[in-house]
Structures are given as C-alpha cells and as structure tokens.
Amino acid sequence: MDDSAPAISWDTDRLAALLQRATPELRSQIRIDRKWRHLLEPEDVLQVTFSEAFLALPKLRSKAEPEVLGWLRTIARNNLHDAVKALSAQRRTDGRRRLQPAPTTDETDFFDQLRRVTTTPSREVAELEARAALKAAIAQLPSIYATVIQRTLAECPIESIAHELGRSPGAIHMLRARACDWLREALRHHPAFFS
C-alpha cells in the first residue's frame, strides 16, 4: 500500500467508481465455508459492505484511495465474520430443528434491553421516554436497517425477514448487526439504555 497516495475528495460518484473497480478483488477475498453457502453468498457481504461505505461517505474526507480500499476490505471481513457468528449461534441454539432467530449474545442482551418492560408505576414514565427515544433512533436508521430492527423486535424469524426483503438469512444477520451498532451509538447516552 502506498502511504504517500494523495487524499481524494470523495463523493458518491467517485465512491461508486471505486466500488465497481474493487468488486472483483473484494469478492475474491470473501471465502464462505461450504456449510453456510446455502444461507450466505458473497453478494450479500458485498451489498452490506457497499451500503456501509455510502453511509460513511462523510467520514471518508481526505482519505487516500489505498486507505479506503483497506477500509473496505476490513468492512467486508467484519461483515462476513458477523454473519457467520450469528448463523453459528443460530445453529447451536436450534439443534437439529429448522433455523429460527437466535441473535448472538451481544444482540440478545441488546434486544432484551430494547424489549425491557417495567411494571412499577415509578418506572412507567422512564419506559415511555425510553420507547420514544428508541422510536426516534429507529426513525434515523437507513430504511433497510429500520425494517430489520422493527421485524426483529416483533420477533419475526430471520427466514421470514429474509424472504420479505428478498435477502439471504446471512444478509439479514449482517444488517441486524449493523443496525444494532447504529442504535447503540444513537442511544448510548440515554439513561434507560446501557447504564
């Protein structure tokens, strides 16, 4: 990697051109174990990676192309890791039965916090405020992330969400992990969450 590469002023057209050139290399680096290939495809990883790249466009200011390429490789690798981790957790909890939704431990804790129900009168106001904060945070998510979170909170099975959105179960796991990251960041200072 050439550390002396000039910084580039990134916009959507320039990023799209880079993604188009980088797609073959990125695809070749996505190695999915045979046991997950029916649930996850390289295109799923690339699609989520490219979405994240466009969402992060403002953060790319003054970054050189080799640095952005390295960043894209890392995002793709992390997305693949998240998807396989979630699929593995789902398989472990499911045993021999058909796959059902089973978030990773971090996501389980996160969704437990989001679904928390308080029954004492003194906490009802706090719960209403937390629900309003959650609703506002979800409204700020990119639409695909918001849909995945809403369907997950409604306890829809991963396969149903995947079918509804025309994505693979692995892609839904990746999207859900990214959406959780966004929500954690948006809600990190709210007293009802992550205290």
Side-chain angles (χ1 to χ4, degrees):
M1 187 184 305
D2 181 6
D3 291 333
S4 65
I8 293 175
S9 176
W10 293 96
D11 60 21
T12 56
D13 291 338
R14 189 176 294 258
L15 181 59
L18 174 64
L19 293 176
Q20 187 172 20
R21 287 192 315 272
T23 296
E25 176 197 343
L26 291 170
R27 185 182 290 113
S28 72
Q29 293 178 5
I30 299 170
R31 294 184 180 90
I32 300 171
D33 188 288
R34 187 179 320 175
K35 68 183 172 183
W36 304 120
R37 288 183 192 154
H38 68 289
L39 296 171
L40 181 65
E41 298 175 6
E43 298 308 317
D44 297 323
V45 177
L46 290 173
Q47 189 173 41
V48 173
T49 299
F50 294 171
S51 294
E52 287 183 58
F54 279 104
L55 291 171
L57 189 59
K59 296 177 185 177
L60 295 181
R61 291 174 212 242
S62 72
K63 302 251 190 255
E65 187 170 303
E67 188 177 358
V68 174
L69 283 169
W71 175 72
L72 288 168
R73 287 183 203 103
T74 300
I75 292 174
R77 190 171 39 251
N78 290 342
N79 282 334
L80 177 60
H81 173 77
D82 288 347
V84 169
K85 180 179 171 185
L87 290 167
S88 295
Q90 190 172 18
R91 182 171 277 178
R92 277 192 308 274
T93 60
D94 216 30
R96 290 183 267 266
R97 291 178 294 149
R98 187 172 144 81
L99 291 176
Q100 297 295 319
T104 62
T105 302
D106 290 344
E107 288 176 359
T108 302
D109 293 343
F110 181 70
F111 286 116
D112 285 347
Q113 285 183 314
L114 295 181
R115 289 187 186 113
R116 178 179 19 204
V117 176
T118 57
T119 56
T120 62
S122 64
R123 297 193 71 193
E124 286 181 18
V125 171
E127 182 177 344
L128 289 174
E129 289 175 1
R131 288 180 188 270
L134 175 61
K135 185 176 180 179
I138 290 172
Q140 297 301 312
L141 289 172
S143 64
I144 188 74
Y145 292 175
T147 300
V148 169
I149 287 294
Q150 289 164 343
R151 304 296 286 144
T152 299
L153 289 173
E155 299 184 4
C156 292
I158 289 293
E159 290 179 343
S160 295
I161 301 169
H163 179 73
E164 177 183 329
L165 297 176
R167 305 280 182 105
S168 71
I172 299 304
H173 282 294
M174 284 184 286
L175 290 166
R176 185 173 64 187
R178 297 290 79 76
C180 287
D181 291 344
W182 278 63
L183 286 175
R184 278 188 193 98
E185 182 61 26
L187 298 170
R188 69 185 168 134
H189 296 298
H190 194 283
F193 300 98
F194 317 114
S195 54

